[in-house]
Amino acid sequence: MTSLPFPAGSCLPEGIERVLVTGGAGFIGGAVVRRLLRESRAQVITLDKCGYASDLTSIEAVERELAEAGGGPEGNRHRLLRVDLADAEAVDAAVREADPDLVMHLAAESHVDRSIEGPGAFISSNISGTFHLLQAVRQHWQGLSGARRERFRMHHISTDEVFGSLGPEGRFSETTPYDPRSPYSASKAASDHLVQAWHHTYGLPVVLTNCSNNYGPWQFPEKLIPVVILKAAAGEPIPLYGDGANVRDWLYVEDHVDALLLAATRGQLGRSYCVGGHGERTNRQVVEAICAQLDALRPAGATHSRLITRVDDRPGHDRRYAIDPARITSELGWQPRHSFEDGLAATVRWYLDQLDWCERVRQQAGYSGERLGVAG
Ligand code: NAD
Ligand code: DAU
């Protein structure tokens, strides 16, 4: 399955035996953990506070699948450390316990609308949390010796939102100046700067990636694509912010995982890589494409697009994001494997099959699909 240039059947190079994935109970981190369990022999340790957007159902299913395939329950290579990055001592203890060869840092508060309502959690998790992790990882790395120290890396997973907002032309690349404009993107930009500073000052071996909008299975249903699928399926108004002409550059989550594994293991130290799949669409195009899928899969007498409802715009709404992925393509050979049309069709089908899961995670989170992020 994997197209990565590693030993047969593995998504990791030789010698990487223990991987610490922060945010492994979230959407993208969960996809990373599942891939590592299925396509490597490494021990995978998830560090996550298990917040509102977390769910382990998909990872537990892979654990069962691997146990049935012969590993048995005692062969389980996944462990969860339920730790809040805001707690420096707990982070330090978790990194010592995990004893990683590779750290993939995905844990973050990730929803722009929630950052508008409550920026404090973003400062705590994304900035202080990254600081605590960097300190713990630096201590761990300094205690390693020989080949383990040579091989060790920390990969910081970030977003294209740190670059701000584009006009109708141009794309973000690794040399675009930072210009974050929401509490979320400002907190991610700050974390990127901390990671680079730990590299330049202490020599910590780091790699960074800045990716565009992800979509796919197991995403907590508060962001555009799952919100629209669930609203359309329920026959409820579909909220389109502002004029619906804002552009995002969509990437299927498994294509992002390919890029992350390449960057984490083969990226040049101290370097950042922009990741995006040439998937630019206006929000209106995305919403209409989902409605067309629903019309085919769940005919409702009238087209689902009648439900599209213009609502107040997001405060400070970035107009356009688009990524030029030339560096990761030419240096690391990354290419997306899914077109937007195929990825979206698979995602719509997945959510329609998983309405019970959506209901359960929304209930657990105390969220019922209401509008978030209208500044008071
Ligand atoms: P998510 O919200 O689905 O998952 C984030 C996970 O991090 C959750 O399980 C949460 O509990 C955990 N977490 C948050 N704060 C924590 C803390 N203080 N301590 C421990 N765990 C904590 O997010 P996602 O969409 O999977 O995003 C993962 C990473 O990828 C984030 O760093 C995000 O900035 C970045 N990113 C996301 C996208 C996207 O489109 N979703 C695109 C580019 C980059
Ligand atoms: O670009 C990468 C970023 O993409 C990640 O760093 C973030 O973690 C991730 O949440 C995402 O941020 P966005 O703000 O772009 O994603 P969201 O799905 O919240 O919104 C996508 C677009 O759709 C945006 O222009 C706002 C609009 N929107 C969103 C929602 C939830 C709507 O029109 N209606 C909605 O109900």
Side-chain angles (χ1 to χ4, degrees), residues 110-113 159-161 184 211-213 222-224 227 239-241 246 248 250 283 314 317 321:
S110 70
H111 190 25
V112 173
D113 288 338
T159 170
D160 61 357
E161 300 202 11
Y184 164 69
C211 188
S212 59
N213 288 61
E222 64 181 351
K223 296 183 182 163
L224 180 69
V227 163
L240 188 61
Y241 297 178
N246 301 66
R248 297 294 182 262
W250 294 95
N283 292 339
R314 172 185 279 175
H317 198 176
Y321 305 145

Side-chain angles (χ1 to χ4, degrees), residues 27-28 48-49 51 54 84-85 106 110 125 158 184 188 214:
F27 166 49
I28 303 171
D48 202 299
K49 71 176 179 184
S54 308
D84 190 332
L85 288 174
L106 296 102
S110 70
S125 286
S158 191
Y184 164 69
K188 290 296 291 186
N214 282 218

Side-chain angles (χ1 to χ4, degrees), residues 112 159-173 176-182 184-186 189 213 243 245-249 280 283 313-323:
V112 173
T159 170
D160 61 357
E161 300 202 11
V162 298
F163 301 121
S165 183
L166 290 165
E169 302 296 326
R171 293 188 290 172
F172 299 134
S173 75
T176 305
Y178 274 41
D179 182 24
R181 295 147 46 100
S182 73
Y184 164 69
S185 56
N213 288 61
D243 64 4
N246 301 66
V247 172
R248 297 294 182 262
D249 188 351
E280 278 188 68
N283 292 339
D313 209 350
R314 172 185 279 175
H317 198 176
D318 287 340
R319 192 63 173 170
R320 176 171 165 257
Y321 305 145
I323 286 276

Side-chain angles (χ1 to χ4, degrees), residues 6 17 42 59-60 86 96 105 118 140 145 209 214 221 235 244 264 300 310 314 352 374:
F6 298 130
E17 291 170 8
I59 295 175
E60 287 162 357
R96 275 188 274 114
H105 176 36
H140 166 69
S145 56
T209 46
N214 282 218
R310 182 174 173 154
R314 172 185 279 175
L352 293 180
V374 186

Side-chain angles (χ1 to χ4, degrees), residues 231-315:
K231 296 279 185 197
E236 294 172 7
I238 297 169
L240 188 61
Y241 297 178
D243 64 4
N246 301 66
V247 172
R248 297 294 182 262
D249 188 351
W250 294 95
L251 184 68
Y252 193 64
V253 63
E254 294 296 335
D255 291 333
H256 189 193
V257 174
D258 288 348
L260 294 179
L261 289 166
L262 277 171
T265 57
R266 291 165 58 103
Q268 200 176 307
L269 295 182
R271 207 151 164 82
S272 68
Y273 294 87
C274 282
V275 186
H278 306 285
E280 278 188 68
R281 299 284 186 285
T282 65
N283 292 339
R284 183 169 285 282
Q285 286 173 321
V286 171
V287 172
E288 282 177 350
I290 294 170
C291 289
Q293 293 279 333
L294 265 288
D295 288 348
L297 295 168
R298 297 268 172 105
T303 173
H304 289 82
S305 59
R306 76 189 188 288
L307 300 168
I308 300 173
T309 308
R310 182 174 173 154
V311 298
D312 286 349
D313 209 350
R314 172 185 279 175

Side-chain angles (χ1 to χ4, degrees), residues 53-264:
S54 308
D55 184 66
L56 291 167
T57 308
S58 70
I59 295 175
E60 287 162 357
V62 175
E63 289 172 358
R64 278 196 302 279
E65 178 188 306
L66 294 176
E68 282 162 20
E74 65 289 346
N76 189 353
R77 291 182 287 107
H78 180 245
R79 273 197 68 196
L80 170 69
L81 302 177
R82 192 171 179 154
V83 166
D84 190 332
L85 288 174
D87 180 344
E89 280 180 23
V91 173
D92 197 49
V95 171
R96 275 188 274 114
E97 188 174 343
D99 188 23
D101 300 302
L102 170 66
V103 176
M104 299 179 75
H105 176 36
L106 296 102
E109 292 296 337
S110 70
H111 190 25
V112 173
D113 288 338
R114 286 185 193 261
S115 83
I116 295 166
E117 288 200 4
F122 289 72
I123 307 304
S124 167
S125 286
N126 302 1
I127 305 180
S128 302
T130 299
F131 164 60
H132 296 151
L133 184 69
L134 282 165
Q135 288 290 73
V137 168
R138 177 163 72 98
Q139 201 173 358
H140 166 69
W141 166 67
Q142 284 172 340
L144 296 176
S145 56
R148 272 199 90 196
R149 185 180 164 110
E150 282 299 303
R151 257 193 308 263
F152 181 83
R153 279 151 172 252
M154 172 166 164
H155 174 196
H156 177 64
I157 285 84
S158 191
T159 170
D160 61 357
E161 300 202 11
V162 298
F163 301 121
S165 183
L166 290 165
E169 302 296 326
R171 293 188 290 172
F172 299 134
S173 75
E174 294 78 6
T175 55
T176 305
Y178 274 41
D179 182 24
R181 295 147 46 100
S182 73
Y184 164 69
S185 56
S187 70
K188 290 296 291 186
S191 68
D192 292 11
H193 292 317
L194 290 174
V195 171
Q196 288 288 18
W198 261 240
H199 174 67
H200 289 290
T201 307
Y202 304 110
L204 189 70
V206 304
V207 177
L208 294 85
T209 46
N210 295 86
C211 188
S212 59
N213 288 61
N214 282 218
Y215 68 100
W218 303 108
Q219 183 173 33
F220 182 78
E222 64 181 351
K223 296 183 182 163
L224 180 69
I225 287 181
V227 163
V228 172
I229 299 169
L230 296 190
K231 296 279 185 197
E236 294 172 7
I238 297 169
L240 188 61
Y241 297 178
D243 64 4
N246 301 66
V247 172
R248 297 294 182 262
D249 188 351
W250 294 95
L251 184 68
Y252 193 64
V253 63
E254 294 296 335
D255 291 333
H256 189 193
V257 174
D258 288 348
L260 294 179
L261 289 166
L262 277 171

